[in-house]
Amino acid sequence: MANGRTPLRTENSIILAASENNDTSTSDVDEYRNAPTAFLSNFMQSSDEAAADPLADIDFAAPKASKLPLSTLAAVLDAELYAKEWFVTGNVNPIYFDDAFQFQDPDVKLTGVEEYARGVTKIFDQATSRAEIISSVVNGTIDNTITITWRLSGRVNIGPKGLPIKPYICYTDFTIDEESGLITFQEDRFDIPGWDILLSALFPFLIGTVTKEASPELEPRVVEMPVLSGSGGGKKDGGIFGGLFQQLGL
C-alpha cells in the first residue's frame, strides 16, 4: 500500500464489545488490543432494550459521495465532525465510508461503519461526552490520509455510575481510497498512554501528579461547510449541504 499500512485483519473469534445481548445496540469487536480493555469490557452498562434506536435516522445504505480532492474532503469532514461529533455520538455520515471500512485504536479493532457508530454510541455517555474538533487537514507525510485532531472529554459507560474521562487530545487518521475517494481505514492515536487514561479515570486525585494534567478547554471555532464546484452557491432547498447533494446527483 502507498501509505505503508498493513490492512486490518479480522480475527476468527468475534467478541461482543457492548454486551452479550444480540440486539441492535451491540457492536462486534474483532480484537481487543490489550488486557485491561478486554477486562473492562465485562463491566459495560447494559442497553435498555425498550429505548429507541439512537441511530435510527441514519441510512447506512445511502449512496456514496462522489470523489473529492483531498483538501476539499478534509474541509467537508471538518464541518460534519464539528457539527455532529460522531467520534462519540455515533452520528456518522455513511456516504464518506467504504463498505469495507475498518477501525482501530490502541484498545480495539473492528470492521464496518455501522458497527463503529453503534460501538461509540454504546461506550460514551451521550449526556456528557464531547469530541471537540480542533483541525482536519491533509496529512503531509502519509499518502492519501486526512488527520483530525480533537479533544475527548465526558464519561464512558463502564461500571454502575460510569467512569470519567480526563480530557485529552486524540489524532484520527482517515485513509482515503485513491480511486473512490472513500474512507477505508481509521486509526486513532492518543497524546497520553493508556495507563494514564485508566489511572486518571479510576483515581482522579492522581491527575497532575502521577498522571498528566487534563487538556485545557478549547475556544469555539467558526466552521462552515465548503461550497463545492457546480453547487450553485452550495445550497439546495436552503440547506448548507447543497454542494454535496449536487456531487451525489440528488
Side-chain angles (χ1 to χ4, degrees):
M1 297 179 67
N3 58 21
R5 289 201 182 99
T6 302
L8 185 63
R9 290 187 301 109
T10 300
E11 300 298 315
N12 292 330
S13 60
I14 301 297
I15 304 174
L16 292 182
S19 71
E20 295 181 353
N21 297 325
N22 293 321
D23 59 27
T24 58
S25 67
T26 60
S27 171
D28 288 346
V29 168
D30 297 341
E31 177 188 348
Y32 287 114
R33 304 188 69 199
N34 58 66
T37 302
F39 174 76
L40 288 173
S41 69
N42 296 313
F43 300 94
M44 288 283 295
Q45 295 174 7
S46 300
S47 298
D48 181 358
E49 296 184 10
D53 180 1
L55 306 181
D57 292 335
I58 299 177
D59 181 4
F60 286 100
K64 301 302 182 183
S66 299
K67 182 179 179 180
L68 296 171
L70 270 184
S71 58
T72 304
L73 180 59
V76 168
L77 291 172
D78 192 51
E80 288 253 34
L81 280 162
Y82 192 86
K84 297 181 178 179
E85 301 188 19
W86 73 55
F87 292 146
V88 296
T89 65
N91 188 22
V92 302
N93 191 337
I95 67 173
Y96 306 117
F97 292 85
D98 189 87
D99 287 338
F101 166 78
Q102 297 174 314
F103 165 84
Q104 77 172 30
D105 69 8
D107 297 323
V108 299
K109 294 181 179 182
L110 60 80
T111 301
V113 68
E114 182 172 1
E115 287 72 17
Y116 168 79
R118 294 195 180 282
V120 297
T121 302
K122 172 71 177 178
I123 187 67
F124 291 108
D125 172 41
Q126 295 302 301
T128 62
S129 297
R130 296 291 311 277
E132 298 171 271
I133 306 303
I134 298 170
S135 66
S136 306
V137 299
V138 177
N139 192 300
T141 59
I142 307 175
D143 292 344
N144 302 314
T145 300
I146 292 172
T147 297
I148 318 294
T149 303
W150 52 288
R151 179 181 185 265
L152 174 63
S153 61
R155 300 183 71 84
V156 290
N157 294 319
I158 294 176
K161 297 181 179 180
L163 289 175
I165 301 170
K166 176 183 68 176
Y168 61 92
I169 301 300
C170 305
Y171 306 94
T172 292
D173 293 324
F174 284 135
T175 300
I176 312 301
D177 183 81
E178 196 167 3
E179 294 184 5
S180 69
L182 299 175
I183 300 169
T184 59
F185 185 72
Q186 173 181 336
E187 182 168 13
D188 287 359
R189 301 173 281 115
F190 311 142
D191 77 336
I192 56 176
W195 64 263
D196 186 313
I197 297 171
L198 184 58
L199 278 182
S200 298
L202 295 174
F203 309 108
F205 57 87
L206 297 177
I207 295 174
T209 55
V210 176
T211 66
K212 188 178 178 181
E213 291 282 1
S215 174
E217 294 186 5
L218 302 176
E219 293 293 329
R221 292 194 296 139
V222 177
V223 180
E224 297 182 353
M225 177 65 71
V227 176
L228 304 183
S229 60
S231 66
K235 295 178 180 287
K236 179 175 181 179
D237 297 330
I240 65 172
F241 297 100
L244 189 56
F245 290 147
Q246 198 86 337
Q247 288 281 328
L248 293 171
L250 299 177

